Structure formats: structure tokens, C-alpha cells
Coordinates of all heavy atoms in Angstrom, one line a residue:
M33 N 18.4 3.1 -5.7 CA 18.1 3.1 -7.2 C 17.1 4.2 -7.3 O 16.1 4.3 -6.7 CB 17.6 1.7 -7.5 CG 17.2 1.7 -9.1 SD 16.3 0.1 -9.3 CE 14.8 0.5 -10.1
A34 N 17.4 5.0 -8.4 CA 16.5 6.1 -8.5 C 15.3 5.7 -9.2 O 15.3 4.9 -10.2 CB 17.1 7.2 -9.4
I35 N 14.1 6.0 -8.6 CA 12.8 5.6 -9.2 C 12.1 6.8 -9.5 O 12.0 7.6 -8.6 CB 12.2 4.7 -8.1 CG1 13.0 3.4 -7.8 CG2 10.6 4.2 -8.6 CD1 12.4 2.7 -6.6
A36 N 11.4 6.9 -10.7 CA 10.7 8.1 -11.1 C 9.4 8.4 -10.3 O 8.7 7.5 -10.0 CB 10.3 8.0 -12.5
R37 N 9.3 9.5 -9.8 CA 8.1 9.9 -9.0 C 7.0 10.3 -10.1 O 7.3 10.7 -11.1 CB 8.5 11.3 -8.3 CG 7.6 11.7 -7.2 CD 8.2 12.7 -6.3 NE 7.3 13.7 -5.9 CZ 7.6 14.8 -5.2 NH1 8.8 15.0 -4.8 NH2 6.8 15.5 -4.8
L38 N 5.8 9.9 -9.7 CA 4.7 10.1 -10.7 C 4.3 11.7 -10.8 O 4.5 12.4 -9.8 CB 3.4 9.5 -10.1 CG 3.3 7.9 -9.8 CD1 2.1 7.4 -9.4 CD2 3.6 7.2 -11.2
T39 N 4.1 12.0 -12.0 CA 3.6 13.4 -12.2 C 2.2 13.4 -11.5 O 1.6 12.5 -11.2 CB 3.3 13.8 -13.6 OG1 2.4 12.9 -14.3 CG2 4.8 13.5 -14.3
D40 N 1.6 14.6 -11.3 CA 0.4 14.8 -10.7 C -0.7 14.1 -11.6 O -1.7 13.3 -11.1 CB 0.0 16.2 -10.4 CG 0.8 16.9 -9.4 OD1 1.5 16.2 -8.8 OD2 0.6 18.0 -9.2
A41 N -0.5 14.3 -12.9 CA -1.6 13.7 -13.9 C -1.4 12.1 -13.7 O -2.5 11.4 -13.6 CB -1.2 14.1 -15.3
E42 N -0.2 11.6 -13.7 CA 0.0 10.1 -13.6 C -0.8 9.6 -12.3 O -1.4 8.6 -12.2 CB 1.4 9.7 -13.6 CG 1.9 9.8 -15.0 CD 3.6 9.7 -14.9 OE1 4.1 10.1 -13.9 OE2 4.1 9.3 -15.9
R43 N -0.5 10.4 -11.3 CA -1.0 10.1 -9.8 C -2.5 10.0 -9.9 O -3.1 9.0 -9.5 CB -0.5 11.1 -8.9 CG -0.9 10.9 -7.5 CD -0.8 12.1 -6.7 NE -1.7 13.2 -7.2 CZ -1.5 14.5 -6.9 NH1 -0.4 15.0 -6.4 NH2 -2.4 15.4 -7.3
D44 N -3.1 11.1 -10.5 CA -4.6 11.1 -10.5 C -5.1 10.1 -11.4 O -6.1 9.4 -10.9 CB -5.1 12.4 -10.9 CG -4.7 13.7 -10.0 OD1 -4.2 13.3 -8.9 OD2 -4.6 14.8 -10.5
A45 N -4.5 9.6 -12.5 CA -5.1 8.5 -13.3 C -4.9 7.2 -12.5 O -5.8 6.4 -12.7 CB -4.3 8.5 -14.5
A46 N -3.8 7.2 -11.7 CA -3.7 5.9 -11.0 C -4.7 5.7 -10.0 O -5.3 4.6 -9.7 CB -2.2 5.8 -10.3
L47 N -5.0 6.8 -9.2 CA -5.9 6.8 -8.1 C -7.3 6.3 -8.7 O -8.1 5.7 -8.1 CB -6.0 8.1 -7.4 CG -5.0 8.3 -6.3 CD1 -4.9 9.8 -5.8 CD2 -5.2 7.4 -5.1
D48 N -7.6 6.8 -9.9 CA -8.9 6.5 -10.5 C -9.1 5.0 -10.7 O -10.2 4.5 -10.6 CB -9.0 7.1 -11.9 CG -9.4 8.8 -11.7 OD1 -9.7 9.0 -10.6 OD2 -9.4 9.3 -12.7
K49 N -8.1 4.3 -10.9 CA -8.2 2.8 -11.2 C -8.1 2.0 -9.8 O -8.3 0.7 -10.0 CB -7.2 2.3 -12.3 CG -5.8 2.3 -11.9 CD -4.9 1.8 -13.0 CE -3.4 1.8 -12.7 NZ -2.6 1.4 -13.8
L50 N -7.7 2.6 -8.8 CA -7.8 1.9 -7.5 C -8.9 2.1 -6.7 O -9.7 2.9 -7.0 CB -6.4 2.4 -6.7 CG -5.1 2.3 -7.4 CD1 -4.0 3.1 -6.5 CD2 -4.6 0.9 -7.5
S51 N -9.1 1.1 -5.9 CA -10.3 1.2 -5.0 C -10.1 1.5 -3.6 O -9.3 0.7 -3.0 CB -11.2 0.0 -5.2 OG -10.5 -1.1 -4.8
G52 N -10.6 2.5 -2.9 CA -10.6 2.7 -1.5 C -9.2 3.4 -1.1 O -9.0 3.5 0.2
W53 N -8.4 3.8 -2.1 CA -7.2 4.6 -1.6 C -7.5 6.0 -1.8 O -8.1 6.6 -2.5 CB -6.1 4.1 -2.5 CG -5.7 2.8 -2.5 CD1 -6.3 1.6 -3.2 CD2 -4.7 2.2 -1.5 NE1 -5.7 0.5 -2.7 CE2 -4.7 0.7 -1.8 CE3 -3.8 2.6 -0.7 CZ2 -3.9 -0.1 -1.1 CZ3 -2.9 1.8 0.1 CH2 -3.0 0.4 -0.3
T54 N -6.9 6.7 -0.7 CA -7.0 8.1 -0.7 C -5.6 8.8 -0.7 O -4.6 8.1 0.0 CB -7.7 8.8 0.5 OG1 -7.1 8.2 1.8 CG2 -9.2 8.2 0.5
L55 N -5.3 9.9 -1.1 CA -4.1 10.6 -1.3 C -3.9 11.2 0.1 O -4.8 12.0 0.6 CB -4.2 11.6 -2.4 CG -2.8 12.3 -2.9 CD1 -1.8 11.4 -3.3 CD2 -3.1 13.4 -3.8
R56 N -2.8 11.0 0.7 CA -2.4 11.6 1.9 C -2.2 13.2 1.7 O -1.8 13.7 0.6 CB -1.0 11.1 2.5 CG -0.8 11.4 4.0 CD 0.5 10.6 4.4 NE 1.6 11.1 3.9 CZ 2.8 10.5 4.0 NH1 3.0 9.4 4.7 NH2 4.0 11.1 3.4
D57 N -2.6 14.1 2.6 CA -2.4 15.4 2.7 C -1.3 16.1 1.9 O -1.4 16.9 1.1 CB -2.6 16.0 3.9 CG -4.0 15.8 4.7 OD1 -4.8 15.3 3.9 OD2 -4.2 16.2 5.8
D58 N -0.1 15.4 2.1 CA 1.0 16.0 1.6 C 1.3 15.5 0.1 O 2.1 15.9 -0.6 CB 2.3 15.7 2.3 CG 2.5 14.2 2.5 OD1 1.8 13.4 1.8 OD2 3.4 13.7 3.1
G59 N 0.3 14.8 -0.4 CA 0.5 14.3 -1.7 C 1.5 13.3 -2.1 O 1.8 12.8 -3.2
L60 N 2.2 12.8 -1.0 CA 3.4 12.0 -1.3 C 3.2 10.5 -1.0 O 4.0 9.7 -1.2 CB 4.5 12.5 -0.2 CG 5.0 13.9 -0.6 CD1 6.1 14.3 0.4 CD2 5.5 14.1 -2.0
A61 N 1.8 10.2 -0.7 CA 1.5 8.8 -0.2 C 0.1 8.5 -0.5 O -0.6 9.5 -0.5 CB 1.9 8.5 1.2
I62 N -0.3 7.2 -0.6 CA -1.7 6.8 -0.7 C -2.0 6.0 0.5 O -1.1 5.1 1.0 CB -2.1 6.2 -1.9 CG1 -1.2 4.9 -2.3 CG2 -2.2 7.2 -3.1 CD1 -1.7 4.1 -3.5
T63 N -3.2 6.0 1.0 CA -3.5 5.3 2.2 C -4.9 4.6 2.0 O -5.6 4.9 1.4 CB -3.6 6.1 3.4 OG1 -4.7 7.1 3.3 CG2 -2.4 7.0 3.8
R64 N -4.9 3.4 2.8 CA -6.3 2.7 2.7 C -6.4 2.0 4.1 O -5.4 1.5 4.6 CB -6.2 1.6 1.5 CG -7.6 0.9 1.5 CD -7.8 0.0 0.3 NE -9.0 -0.6 0.4 CZ -9.5 -1.6 -0.5 NH1 -8.6 -2.0 -1.4 NH2 -10.7 -2.1 -0.4
S65 N -7.6 2.0 4.6 CA -7.9 1.4 5.9 C -8.7 0.2 5.6 O -9.6 0.2 4.9 CB -8.6 2.4 6.8 OG -7.7 3.4 7.2
L66 N -8.3 -1.0 6.2 CA -9.1 -2.3 5.9 C -9.6 -2.9 7.3 O -8.9 -2.7 8.3 CB -8.1 -3.3 5.3 CG -7.6 -2.9 3.9 CD1 -6.5 -3.8 3.5 CD2 -8.8 -2.9 2.9
K67 N -10.8 -3.5 7.3 CA -11.3 -4.2 8.5 C -11.5 -5.6 8.1 O -12.3 -5.8 7.1 CB -12.4 -3.5 8.9 CG -13.1 -3.9 10.2 CD -14.2 -3.0 10.6 CE -14.8 -3.3 12.1 NZ -15.9 -2.5 12.4
F68 N -11.0 -6.6 8.8 CA -11.2 -7.9 8.6 C -12.1 -8.5 9.8 O -12.5 -7.9 10.7 CB -9.9 -8.7 8.5 CG -9.0 -8.2 7.5 CD1 -8.1 -7.1 7.6 CD2 -9.0 -8.9 6.2 CE1 -7.4 -6.7 6.4 CE2 -8.3 -8.4 5.1 CZ -7.5 -7.4 5.2
S69 N -12.5 -9.8 9.5 CA -13.4 -10.4 10.5 C -12.6 -10.6 11.9 O -13.4 -10.6 13.0 CB -13.9 -11.8 10.0 OG -12.9 -12.6 9.6
D70 N -11.5 -10.8 11.9 CA -10.8 -11.0 13.2 C -9.2 -10.9 12.9 O -8.8 -10.7 11.9 CB -11.0 -12.4 13.8 CG -10.7 -13.6 12.9 OD1 -9.8 -13.3 12.1 OD2 -11.3 -14.6 13.1
F71 N -8.5 -11.2 14.0 CA -7.0 -10.8 13.9 C -6.4 -11.9 12.8 O -5.5 -11.4 12.1 CB -6.4 -11.0 15.3 CG -4.9 -10.9 15.2 CD1 -4.3 -9.6 15.0 CD2 -4.1 -11.9 15.3 CE1 -2.9 -9.4 14.9 CE2 -2.7 -11.8 15.3 CZ -2.1 -10.7 15.1
N72 N -6.8 -13.1 13.0 CA -6.2 -14.0 12.0 C -6.4 -13.8 10.6 O -5.4 -13.9 9.8 CB -6.8 -15.5 12.3 CG -6.2 -16.2 13.5 OD1 -5.2 -15.8 14.0 ND2 -6.9 -17.3 14.0
E73 N -7.5 -13.2 10.2 CA -7.8 -12.8 9.0 C -6.8 -11.7 8.6 O -6.2 -11.6 7.5 CB -9.3 -12.3 8.7 CG -10.3 -13.5 8.7 CD -10.1 -14.4 7.5 OE1 -9.9 -14.0 6.4 OE2 -9.9 -15.6 7.7
A74 N -6.8 -10.7 9.4 CA -6.0 -9.4 9.3 C -4.5 -9.9 9.1 O -3.8 -9.5 8.2 CB -6.1 -8.5 10.3
F75 N -4.1 -10.7 10.0 CA -2.6 -11.0 9.9 C -2.3 -11.9 8.7 O -1.2 -11.8 8.1 CB -2.1 -11.7 11.2 CG -0.6 -11.4 11.3 CD1 -0.1 -10.4 12.0 CD2 0.2 -12.4 11.0 CE1 1.3 -10.1 12.1 CE2 1.6 -12.3 11.2 CZ 2.1 -11.1 11.7
G76 N -3.4 -12.8 8.4 CA -3.1 -13.6 7.0 C -3.0 -12.7 5.9 O -2.1 -13.0 5.1
F77 N -3.8 -11.7 5.8 CA -3.7 -10.8 4.7 C -2.3 -10.0 4.8 O -1.6 -10.0 3.7 CB -4.7 -9.6 4.9 CG -4.5 -8.4 4.1 CD1 -4.8 -8.3 2.7 CD2 -4.0 -7.3 4.8 CE1 -4.6 -7.2 2.0 CE2 -3.7 -6.1 4.2 CZ -4.0 -6.0 2.7
M78 N -1.8 -9.6 5.9 CA -0.6 -9.0 6.1 C 0.5 -9.9 5.6 O 1.6 -9.5 5.1 CB -0.2 -8.4 7.4 CG -1.3 -7.3 7.8 SD -1.0 -6.8 9.5 CE 0.4 -5.8 9.4
T79 N 0.4 -11.2 6.0 CA 1.5 -12.1 5.6 C 1.6 -12.3 4.0 O 2.7 -12.3 3.5 CB 1.2 -13.6 6.2 OG1 1.0 -13.3 7.6 CG2 2.1 -14.6 5.8
R80 N 0.4 -12.3 3.4 CA 0.4 -12.4 1.8 C 1.0 -11.2 1.3 O 2.0 -11.3 0.4 CB -1.0 -12.5 1.4 CG -1.7 -13.8 1.5 CD -3.0 -14.0 0.8 NE -2.6 -14.0 -0.8 CZ -3.7 -14.1 -1.6 NH1 -4.9 -14.0 -1.2 NH2 -3.4 -14.1 -2.9
V81 N 0.7 -10.0 1.8 CA 1.2 -8.7 1.4 C 2.8 -8.7 1.6 O 3.5 -8.4 0.8 CB 0.5 -7.5 1.9 CG1 1.2 -6.3 1.5 CG2 -0.9 -7.5 1.5
A82 N 3.2 -9.1 2.8 CA 4.6 -9.0 3.1 C 5.4 -9.9 2.3 O 6.5 -9.4 1.8 CB 4.8 -9.5 4.5
L83 N 4.9 -11.0 1.8 CA 5.7 -12.0 0.9 C 5.8 -11.2 -0.4 O 6.8 -11.4 -1.0 CB 5.0 -13.4 0.9 CG 5.1 -14.2 2.2 CD1 4.1 -15.5 2.2 CD2 6.5 -14.5 2.5
H84 N 4.7 -10.6 -0.9 CA 4.7 -10.1 -2.1 C 5.6 -8.9 -2.1 O 6.5 -8.6 -3.0 CB 3.3 -9.7 -2.5 CG 3.2 -8.9 -3.8 ND1 3.2 -9.5 -5.0 CD2 3.3 -7.6 -4.1 CE1 3.1 -8.8 -6.0 NE2 3.2 -7.5 -5.5
A85 N 5.6 -8.0 -1.1 CA 6.4 -6.9 -0.9 C 7.9 -7.3 -1.0 O 8.7 -6.6 -1.5 CB 6.2 -6.2 0.5
E86 N 8.2 -8.4 -0.3 CA 9.6 -8.9 -0.4 C 10.0 -9.1 -1.8 O 11.1 -8.8 -2.2 CB 9.8 -10.0 0.7 CG 11.2 -10.4 1.1 CD 12.0 -9.2 1.6 OE1 11.4 -8.2 2.0 OE2 13.3 -9.3 1.6
K87 N 9.2 -9.9 -2.5 CA 9.5 -10.1 -3.9 C 9.6 -9.0 -4.7 O 10.5 -8.8 -5.6 CB 8.4 -11.1 -4.5 CG 8.5 -12.6 -4.3 CD 7.7 -13.4 -5.4 CE 6.3 -13.3 -5.2 NZ 5.8 -14.3 -4.3
A88 N 8.8 -8.0 -4.5 CA 8.8 -6.7 -5.3 C 9.8 -5.8 -4.8 O 10.0 -4.7 -5.3 CB 7.3 -6.1 -5.2
D89 N 10.4 -6.0 -3.8 CA 11.3 -5.1 -2.9 C 10.7 -3.7 -2.8 O 11.3 -2.7 -3.2 CB 12.6 -4.9 -3.8 CG 13.6 -4.2 -3.0 OD1 13.7 -4.3 -1.7 OD2 14.5 -3.5 -3.6
H90 N 9.4 -3.7 -2.3 CA 8.6 -2.6 -2.2 C 7.8 -2.8 -0.9 O 6.9 -3.6 -1.1 CB 7.9 -2.2 -3.4 CG 7.3 -0.7 -3.3 ND1 8.1 0.4 -3.4 CD2 6.1 -0.3 -3.2 CE1 7.3 1.4 -3.4 NE2 6.1 1.2 -3.2
H91 N 7.9 -2.0 0.1 CA 7.4 -2.5 1.4 C 6.4 -1.4 1.8 O 6.7 -0.2 1.9 CB 8.5 -2.7 2.4 CG 9.4 -3.7 2.0 ND1 10.5 -3.3 1.1 CD2 9.5 -5.0 2.3 CE1 11.2 -4.6 1.0 NE2 10.6 -5.5 1.5
P92 N 5.2 -1.8 2.3 CA 4.3 -0.8 2.9 C 4.7 -0.3 4.3 O 5.5 -1.0 5.0 CB 3.0 -1.7 3.0 CG 3.4 -3.0 3.1 CD 4.8 -3.2 2.4
E93 N 4.1 0.8 4.6 CA 4.1 1.3 6.0 C 2.7 1.0 6.5 O 1.7 1.4 5.9 CB 4.3 2.7 6.0 CG 5.7 3.2 5.3 CD 5.8 4.7 5.2 OE1 5.0 5.5 5.9 OE2 6.6 5.1 4.4
W94 N 2.7 0.3 7.5 CA 1.4 -0.1 7.9 C 1.2 -0.3 9.5 O 2.2 -0.4 10.2 CB 0.9 -1.5 7.3 CG 1.8 -2.6 7.3 CD1 3.0 -2.7 7.8 CD2 1.7 -3.8 6.5 NE1 3.7 -3.9 7.6 CE2 2.8 -4.5 6.8 CE3 0.7 -4.2 5.7 CZ2 3.1 -5.8 6.1 CZ3 0.9 -5.5 5.0 CH2 2.0 -6.2 5.3
F95 N -0.1 -0.3 9.9 CA -0.4 -0.3 11.4 C -1.5 -1.3 11.5 O -2.5 -1.4 10.7 CB -1.1 1.0 11.8 CG -1.4 1.1 13.2 CD1 -0.7 1.0 14.4 CD2 -2.9 1.0 13.5 CE1 -1.2 1.1 15.6 CE2 -3.5 1.0 14.6 CZ -2.6 0.9 15.9
N96 N -1.4 -2.2 12.5 CA -2.5 -3.3 12.7 C -2.8 -3.3 14.1 O -2.1 -3.3 15.1 CB -2.0 -4.7 12.3 CG -2.7 -5.9 12.8 OD1 -2.1 -6.5 13.7 ND2 -4.0 -5.9 12.5
V97 N -4.1 -3.3 14.4 CA -4.6 -3.6 15.8 C -5.9 -4.5 15.5 O -6.8 -4.2 14.9 CB -4.9 -2.3 16.6 CG1 -6.0 -1.4 15.8 CG2 -5.4 -2.6 17.9
Y98 N -5.8 -5.6 16.1 CA -6.8 -6.7 16.1 C -7.2 -6.9 14.6 O -6.4 -7.4 13.7 CB -7.9 -6.4 17.0 CG -9.0 -7.5 17.0 CD1 -8.6 -8.8 17.3 CD2 -10.3 -7.2 16.6 CE1 -9.5 -9.8 17.2 CE2 -11.1 -8.4 16.6 CZ -10.9 -9.6 16.9 OH -11.7 -10.5 16.8
N99 N -8.5 -6.6 14.1 CA -8.9 -6.8 12.8 C -8.7 -5.7 11.8 O -9.2 -5.7 10.7 CB -10.4 -7.3 12.7 CG -11.2 -6.2 13.3 OD1 -10.9 -5.3 14.0 ND2 -12.6 -6.2 12.9
K100 N -8.0 -4.6 12.3 CA -7.9 -3.5 11.4 C -6.4 -3.4 10.9 O -5.4 -3.6 11.6 CB -8.3 -2.2 12.1 CG -9.8 -2.0 12.6 CD -10.0 -0.7 13.1 CE -11.4 -0.6 13.5 NZ -11.8 -1.5 14.7
V101 N -6.3 -2.9 9.6 CA -5.0 -2.7 9.1 C -5.1 -1.3 8.4 O -5.9 -1.1 7.5 CB -4.6 -3.9 8.1 CG1 -3.3 -3.5 7.5 CG2 -4.7 -5.2 8.8
E102 N -4.1 -0.5 8.7 CA -4.1 0.8 8.0 C -2.8 0.8 7.2 O -1.7 0.6 7.7 CB -4.0 1.9 9.0 CG -5.5 2.2 9.6 CD -5.3 3.1 10.8 OE1 -4.3 3.8 11.0 OE2 -6.2 3.1 11.6
I103 N -2.8 1.0 6.0 CA -1.7 0.9 5.0 C -1.4 2.3 4.3 O -2.3 2.9 3.9 CB -2.0 -0.1 3.7 CG1 -2.5 -1.5 4.4 CG2 -0.7 -0.3 3.0 CD1 -3.0 -2.4 3.4
T104 N -0.1 2.5 4.3 CA 0.4 3.7 3.6 C 1.4 3.3 2.5 O 2.3 2.6 2.9 CB 1.0 4.8 4.6 OG1 -0.1 5.1 5.5 CG2 1.5 5.9 3.9
L105 N 1.3 3.8 1.4 CA 2.3 3.3 0.3 C 2.9 4.7 -0.3 O 2.2 5.6 -0.6 CB 1.6 2.7 -0.8 CG 0.8 1.4 -0.5 CD1 0.1 0.8 -1.8 CD2 1.8 0.3 0.0
T106 N 4.2 4.5 -0.2 CA 5.1 5.7 -0.8 C 6.3 5.1 -1.1 O 6.7 4.0 -0.7 CB 5.2 6.8 0.3 OG1 5.9 7.9 -0.4 CG2 6.1 6.4 1.5
T107 N 7.1 5.8 -2.0 CA 8.4 5.2 -2.4 C 9.4 6.1 -1.8 O 9.7 7.3 -2.3 CB 8.5 5.2 -4.1 OG1 7.3 4.4 -4.5 CG2 9.8 4.6 -4.5
H108 N 10.2 5.7 -0.9 CA 11.2 6.5 -0.2 C 12.2 6.9 -1.2 O 12.6 8.0 -1.2 CB 11.7 5.5 0.9 CG 10.8 5.0 1.9 ND1 10.7 3.6 2.1 CD2 9.7 5.5 2.5 CE1 9.7 3.4 2.9 NE2 9.1 4.4 3.1
D109 N 12.6 6.0 -2.1 CA 13.7 6.2 -3.0 C 13.2 7.4 -4.1 O 14.1 7.9 -4.7 CB 14.1 5.1 -3.8 CG 14.7 4.0 -2.9 OD1 15.2 4.3 -1.8 OD2 14.8 2.7 -3.2
A110 N 12.0 7.6 -4.2 CA 11.6 8.7 -5.1 C 11.1 9.8 -4.3 O 10.7 10.9 -5.0 CB 10.3 8.0 -5.9
G111 N 10.9 9.8 -3.0 CA 10.5 11.0 -2.3 C 9.1 11.2 -2.5 O 8.6 12.4 -2.5
G112 N 8.3 10.2 -3.1 CA 6.8 10.4 -3.2 C 6.2 9.1 -3.9 O 6.8 8.0 -3.6
L113 N 5.3 9.4 -4.6 CA 4.6 8.2 -5.2 C 5.3 7.7 -6.5 O 5.7 8.6 -7.4 CB 3.1 8.5 -5.6 CG 2.1 8.6 -4.4 CD1 0.8 9.3 -4.7 CD2 1.9 7.2 -3.8
S114 N 5.3 6.5 -6.6 CA 5.8 6.0 -8.0 C 5.1 4.8 -8.5 O 4.0 4.4 -7.7 CB 7.3 5.3 -7.8 OG 7.1 4.2 -7.1
M115 N 5.3 4.2 -9.7 CA 4.5 3.1 -10.3 C 4.6 1.9 -9.3 O 3.6 1.1 -9.3 CB 5.0 2.9 -11.5 CG 4.3 3.7 -12.6 SD 2.5 4.1 -12.4 CE 1.9 2.5 -12.9
R116 N 5.6 1.8 -8.5 CA 5.7 0.7 -7.6 C 4.6 0.7 -6.5 O 4.1 -0.2 -6.1 CB 7.0 0.6 -6.8 CG 8.1 0.4 -7.6 CD 9.4 0.1 -7.1 NE 10.5 -0.3 -7.8 CZ 11.7 -0.7 -7.4 NH1 12.0 -0.7 -6.2 NH2 12.7 -1.0 -8.2
D117 N 4.2 1.9 -6.1 CA 3.0 2.1 -5.1 C 1.8 1.6 -5.8 O 0.9 1.1 -5.1 CB 3.0 3.6 -4.6 CG 4.3 3.9 -3.9 OD1 4.6 3.2 -2.9 OD2 5.0 5.0 -4.3
V118 N 1.6 2.1 -7.0 CA 0.4 1.8 -7.8 C 0.3 0.3 -7.9 O -0.8 -0.4 -7.7 CB 0.3 2.4 -9.2 CG1 -1.0 2.1 -9.9 CG2 0.4 4.0 -8.9
A119 N 1.4 -0.3 -8.2 CA 1.4 -1.9 -8.5 C 1.1 -2.6 -7.2 O 0.2 -3.5 -7.0 CB 2.8 -2.2 -8.9
M120 N 1.6 -2.0 -6.0 CA 1.4 -2.7 -4.9 C 0.0 -2.4 -4.4 O -0.7 -3.3 -3.8 CB 2.3 -2.0 -3.7 CG 2.1 -2.6 -2.3 SD 2.4 -4.3 -2.1 CE 4.2 -4.5 -2.2
A121 N -0.7 -1.3 -4.7 CA -2.0 -1.1 -4.3 C -2.9 -1.9 -5.0 O -3.9 -2.5 -4.5 CB -2.4 0.5 -4.5
E122 N -2.6 -2.1 -6.4 CA -3.4 -3.1 -7.2 C -3.3 -4.5 -6.7 O -4.3 -5.3 -6.5 CB -2.9 -3.1 -8.6 CG -3.2 -1.8 -9.4 CD -2.5 -1.7 -10.7 OE1 -1.5 -2.3 -11.1 OE2 -3.2 -1.0 -11.6
F123 N -2.1 -4.9 -6.2 CA -2.0 -6.3 -5.6 C -2.9 -6.3 -4.3 O -3.6 -7.3 -4.2 CB -0.5 -6.6 -5.3 CG -0.4 -7.9 -4.4 CD1 -0.3 -9.1 -5.2 CD2 -0.2 -7.9 -3.1 CE1 -0.3 -10.3 -4.5 CE2 -0.2 -9.1 -2.4 CZ -0.2 -10.3 -3.1
I124 N -2.8 -5.3 -3.6 CA -3.5 -5.3 -2.2 C -5.1 -5.4 -2.6 O -5.8 -6.2 -2.0 CB -3.1 -4.0 -1.3 CG1 -1.8 -4.3 -0.7 CG2 -4.3 -3.8 -0.4 CD1 -1.1 -3.1 -0.1
D125 N -5.5 -4.5 -3.6 CA -7.0 -4.5 -3.9 C -7.3 -6.0 -4.4 O -8.5 -6.3 -4.2 CB -7.2 -3.6 -5.1 CG -7.0 -2.1 -4.5 OD1 -6.9 -1.9 -3.3 OD2 -7.1 -1.2 -5.4
S126 N -6.4 -6.8 -5.0 CA -6.7 -8.0 -5.5 C -6.8 -9.1 -4.5 O -7.3 -10.3 -4.8 CB -5.7 -8.4 -6.6 OG -4.4 -8.9 -6.0
V127 N -6.3 -8.8 -3.2 CA -6.3 -9.9 -2.2 C -7.2 -9.6 -1.1 O -7.5 -10.4 -0.2 CB -4.9 -10.2 -1.7 CG1 -4.0 -10.8 -2.8 CG2 -4.2 -9.0 -1.1
V128 N -7.9 -8.4 -1.1 CA -8.7 -8.1 0.1 C -10.1 -8.7 -0.1 O -10.5 -8.9 -1.3 CB -8.9 -6.5 0.4 CG1 -7.6 -5.9 0.9 CG2 -9.4 -5.8 -0.9
Ligands
H2B594 C1 17.5 -1.4 -0.7 C2 16.2 -1.6 -1.0 O1 16.1 -2.1 -2.2 C3 15.4 -0.3 -1.0 O2 15.6 0.2 0.2 C4 13.9 -0.6 -1.3 C5 13.3 -1.4 -0.2 N1 11.8 -1.2 -0.1 C6 11.2 -0.1 -0.4 N2 10.1 0.2 -0.1 C7 9.4 1.4 -0.5 N3 8.1 1.6 -0.1 N4 10.1 2.4 -0.9 C8 11.4 2.3 -1.3 O3 12.1 3.2 -1.7 C9 11.9 1.0 -1.0 N5 13.3 0.8 -1.4

């Protein structure tokens, strides 16, 4: 399904309302690194996000080692950032 890619202005406005997210060098994704108290906390967080991602049909690219989770959000169908990434980032910000 074609999903609209954010304009640079929309992207910058979105980044302003998010916390802890940085734009990847190529401008096509946003990333955030999280540190939890232990693996159980980290994986519990990932479980919550995974269930939400499935409901939203929008899935993060992420890396976990012990209590650290590195998350990258981009919309493959848009070839860059879309409002789905912003919505997913807002959800993640609300559960960390
Ligand atoms: C078929 C399925 O709806 C699509 O592949 C969805 C699945 N999850 C997705 N997740 C992300 N991050 N980007 C997408 O374009 C995307 N597309």
C-alpha cells in the first residue's frame, strides 16, 4: 500500500515533538537507543512494542543486547519516514 513519505518540514516538526529520537544520516529513518535495568525489563518493553506493531502493521527494526535496545523506524513502503513512524515513536515514548 502506498504510504506518503513525510516532507522535510513535516519530518522536522515531528522530530520536535518526539523525545530522544535522532534522524539517521540518510534522513530516511529515526533512531533511539534505550537502556533498561535488566534483560527482563528490556524484553518486556519489546513485547509491548511488538504487540502494538502487529496491531498497527508497522514494525520496528531493532537490536537488543541484555538491557539495551536500539530502535530504528522507517517505512519501507514509503522509502523513508511516514506518519506511521511518528505514531510508533510516540507510542514508544509513552511506554519507556
Ligand atoms: C504487508 C504488510 O502490511 C507491509 O509489509 C507492512 C508491514 N510492516 C511494515 N513496517 C514498516 N516499518 N514499514 C512498512 O512499510 C511495513 N509494511
